[in-house]
Amino acid sequence: MSLGRQKETEIRVDDVSMIFGSKGKEVTALTNVSFEVYRSEFVSLLGPSGCGKSTLLRLMADLLEPTSGRITIGEEEPREVRLKRKFGIVFQSPTLFEWRTVKDNIELPMEVLGLKKSEYSAISEQLIEMVGLSKFKHHYPWQLSGGMQQRVAIARALSLDPPILLMDEPFSALDEFTKEKLQLDLLDIQKQTNKTIVFVTHSIPEAVFLSDRVIVMSAHPGRVHSILEMEREEGSYAHIRNSERFHEMTARVRNCFVDEEDSLNERMA
Ligand code: ADP
Ligand code: MG
């Protein structure tokens, strides 16, 4: 994205900690996490399994409440934002309804909201085209590949035109080729729609390829290790992924984890 001169804060995470479980059996999932996400920015939450990425995304989505600290989206609490349906969510598994076609799955949130079919049919047609499923709109989920199913999930998450898209490892169950195509298409979708995207991943190249900024997290307990600005390049997938700059950026991100391992080894020695 081109941030321009003015960055407008869309999501503010302020000193958030999250402890699960009851006294004596507590699991600290996150400690003192703070950062901002700007409007129309693509931010990845990157870190090893168990560092609290999903917890953080769930807190933003009001699926959990923090033990302490505060999250605000615009000027509002996550709860208000959820009730106003200002974000869409995509999980690792697409969770589609098997008895509904692609089009009917995408239309579900609009149907539930009580919009008229005449209104939402045009919207779903547009979304189907955007995610490249025009030829499959009358197919059922079981007739689609994993990547196509995830495209449906993305279109459904965008159906109420939320300004924010929260994505939890949406491509990690897909094969490498499908993943690459979806990554490219997601960037295209963001370009077309200007959504603010928070994207959870444990893949360094994926985070580097997609993001304006990468929030590197570390585990035990989950916290922000560092926040790194990426340089987005134009060009084909191969051009970008093979470029010197891409390698530099992945190395920079990877070094954060090397630091972390070193300090862990020191503590354990
Ligand atoms: P990630 O998505 O980075 O793999 P999670 O956010 O799922 O990490 O989990 C962070 C930590 O919090 C882990 O130790 C996990 O076991 C713990 N945790 C997550 N959800 C719960 C829960 N509902 N109850 C208890 N512990 C949880
Ligand atoms: Mg997770």
Side-chain angles (χ1 to χ4, degrees):
M1 110 178 160
S2 62
L3 278 171
R5 251 169 250 132
Q6 279 176 318
K7 292 182 186 179
E8 240 181 289
T9 299
E10 180 110 83
I11 303 171
R12 189 185 301 278
V13 177
D14 189 12
D15 205 19
V16 164
S17 295
M18 183 75 206
I19 300 168
F20 288 108
S22 49
K23 227 175 174 183
K25 281 188 265 170
E26 288 127 339
V27 178
T28 304
L30 294 169
T31 48
N32 309 105
V33 171
S34 297
F35 60 85
E36 290 176 358
V37 179
Y38 304 114
R39 184 150 301 154
S40 299
E41 191 182 24
F42 197 122
V43 164
S44 288
L45 305 176
L46 171 74
S49 182
C51 72
K53 306 180 292 297
S54 296
T55 301
L56 195 43
L57 206 75
R58 284 167 173 274
L59 288 165
M60 291 180 189
D62 187 44
L63 299 170
L64 288 172
E65 273 188 57
T67 309
S68 63
R70 187 155 182 237
I71 295 180
T72 42
I73 302 175
E75 300 296 315
E76 298 172 314
E77 305 281 329
R79 173 134 323 151
E80 296 168 76
V81 179
R82 176 170 61 78
L83 294 175
K84 291 182 184 167
R85 298 173 174 83
K86 284 197 195 161
F87 52 74
I89 310 187
V90 180
F91 295 104
Q92 186 176 336
S93 143
T95 60
L96 304 174
F97 290 104
E98 290 296 322
W99 60 90
R100 296 181 78 120
T101 63
V102 164
K103 187 163 158 67
D104 291 342
N105 263 288
I106 293 170
E107 289 177 354
L108 188 63
M110 300 185 279
E111 197 181 308
V112 169
L113 206 61
L115 301 185
K116 286 199 208 100
K117 179 126 187 127
S118 56
E119 292 173 63
Y120 63 65
S121 189
I123 297 173
S124 69
E125 290 288 341
Q126 230 179 342
L127 288 167
I128 287 165
E129 202 184 318
M130 187 161 75
V131 298
L133 289 177
S134 298
K135 285 190 194 141
F136 301 91
K137 62 183 170 188
H138 300 307
H139 283 55
Y140 288 88
W142 47 272
Q143 297 174 301
L144 306 176
S145 67
M148 287 155 91
Q149 290 185 28
Q150 206 52 300
R151 288 172 186 276
V152 179
I154 292 170
R156 183 182 54 190
L158 293 172
S159 63
L160 299 175
D161 198 22
I164 300 167
L165 197 53
L166 304 174
M167 308 182 88
D168 194 349
E169 304 204 23
F171 306 150
S172 55
L174 305 174
D175 69 79
E176 210 53 37
F177 299 97
T178 308
K179 196 184 292 189
E180 290 180 5
K181 183 76 180 78
L182 273 159
Q183 288 170 353
L184 273 175
D185 290 353
L186 179 61
L187 285 182
D188 255 358
I189 289 169
Q190 197 210 15
K191 235 184 198 168
Q192 286 176 53
T193 59
N194 283 320
K195 301 294 173 198
T196 303
I197 301 183
V198 182
F199 188 99
V200 165
T201 179
H202 56 247
S203 158
I204 295 175
E206 183 171 62
V208 170
F209 182 73
L210 291 171
S211 312
D212 294 304
R213 281 186 307 144
V214 175
I215 299 185
V216 176
M217 297 179 63
S218 47
H220 311 300
R223 62 196 183 282
V224 173
H225 177 285
S226 32
I227 300 179
L228 303 176
E229 194 120 3
M230 299 292 114
E231 292 169 54
R232 284 256 193 99
E233 268 188 279
E234 296 289 325
S236 70
Y237 190 88
H239 168 78
I240 296 170
R241 288 291 296 261
N242 294 330
S243 71
E244 195 60 35
R245 204 183 305 170
F246 186 83
H247 291 299
E248 275 168 24
M249 287 190 289
T250 48
R252 200 145 57 85
V253 174
R254 189 167 280 115
N255 283 340
C256 296
F257 296 105
V258 175
D259 289 353
E260 190 61 22
E261 238 171 69
D262 288 349
S263 83
L264 196 66
N265 289 341
E266 267 168 39
R267 271 183 272 152
M268 286 168 65

